Amino acid sequence: MRDTDVTRGGPASQQGMRRANLALVLGHVAREPRSRAELAAATGLTRAAVSSLAEELLNTGLLTESGPAAPSGKVGRPGTALALDPQGPGGIGAEVGVDHLAACVVDLRGEVRSWHRMEIRNRGRLPAAVLADLAELVRRAAGEAALHPAGLALAVPGLVGAAEGVVERASNLGWEGVPAAAELRSSLRATGAHELSALAIDVDNDANLGGLAELWLGGRAEDFLHVSAEAGIGAAVVVGGRLLRGARGYAGELGHVPVRPDGPPCSCGARGCLEQYAGERAVLRAAGLAGAPGDWVALLAGRAVAGDEKVRAALAGAGQMLAVAVAGAVNLLDPAEVVLGGGYAELAPWLLPAMRAELAARVAVRPWSQEWLTASRFGRRGPLLGAAVGVVRAVLADPGRYAQARD
Ligand SMILES: [Zn+2]
């Protein structure tokens, strides 16, 4: 998600000031329902200014009156509380995975209003065919939620570069230079979903979006590393509450960090990358399950729960190599936490012990603590949640722009 916080930055025109104040008022209500008097006290704006701003936010469908506010000693008589409108705009998330497609809608409060997922092998299919199936799921999810759509964000297991909406490379899908936003838009138009096809469509890497879900919904510190397995291995590096994207948008390719300089060749052209030890294919091979069809995470978790020693040993081995790469990142970046997300969250019971032992031996810069390393509660739902929640966060950060786009 691009940063659209209008409350940052320098002096503003009168119109710019009003936009910033709309965001200020909405931001306070987003934290908890407030009366106009409470909002005036919290923001330093006059009662009249708050009333005018609230009126605009009510008319735009972003706020609703939610009954009397709790009396608050300092700020005079209780008034009607203003709250985010649960029938206000919705954020649409869409996701292309190697073995699935998914779409969801969240409301302004970030609550999931619809969620659709289909299992389908997308490797080697034409991108246009994949995105046509996805458009149908998006249409269904949007129809079921029945909220005014504010935008759409697409999670993909690949590199999204500087060109807007273009997937530069998704090797697990066999995609190269795919204009995913434009393709999805034309597929939506073809299904007759004209309102959806007119939306802004943002495309981002799934590991980034999983990390953002953790930042926005997971109650994490401002500095953490989110390590996830989807089709490949990705990481989101959050520094000072912001996602580190790097100079070209490629930051976080933890799967291609070398863990053994003379290791086996990798799909990226290098040797001994982490993916060759802790990626889907490597772990299945070590577990004696090479080429097993279906959901690899569920397969491994099921066998590990049942006490399959070979699977448990394969996961411990993957955990050790994961920790070798993560230790390098921890020593470099000094995050407050390391979070296992995506498929790794479900496999965490068998990855974590080996990871903890290896990290304790390798993180030299400070005393090791168990609490640094935990599993995400969102797991494989993270990227889709991050996509949808990013859309509504953009509305909350700049409601004036949403109002303009709606008119
Ligand atoms: Zn590689």
Side-chain angles (χ1 to χ4, degrees), residues 255-256 266-270 273:
H256 299 289
C266 181
S267 62
C268 71
C273 296

Side-chain angles (χ1 to χ4, degrees), residues 14-71:
Q14 209 159 33
Q15 200 187 5
M17 186 78 85
R18 184 164 176 90
R19 262 173 82 169
N21 286 336
L22 282 169
L24 183 66
V25 166
L26 191 58
H28 277 277
V29 176
R31 285 192 278 283
E32 58 176 325
R34 301 281 187 97
S35 71
R36 289 168 178 79
E38 287 171 321
L39 283 167
T43 59
L45 296 164
T46 65
R47 281 287 300 269
V50 166
S51 290
S52 158
L53 293 161
E55 193 61 26
E56 185 170 341
L57 293 168
L58 284 161
N59 288 339
T60 319
L62 295 166
L63 291 186
T64 180
E65 309 260 10
S66 75

Side-chain angles (χ1 to χ4, degrees), residues 250-271:
Y250 299 162
E253 286 296 310
L254 192 73
H256 299 289
V257 164
V259 289
R260 282 213 179 123
D262 54 351
C266 181
S267 62
C268 71
R271 302 191 77 90

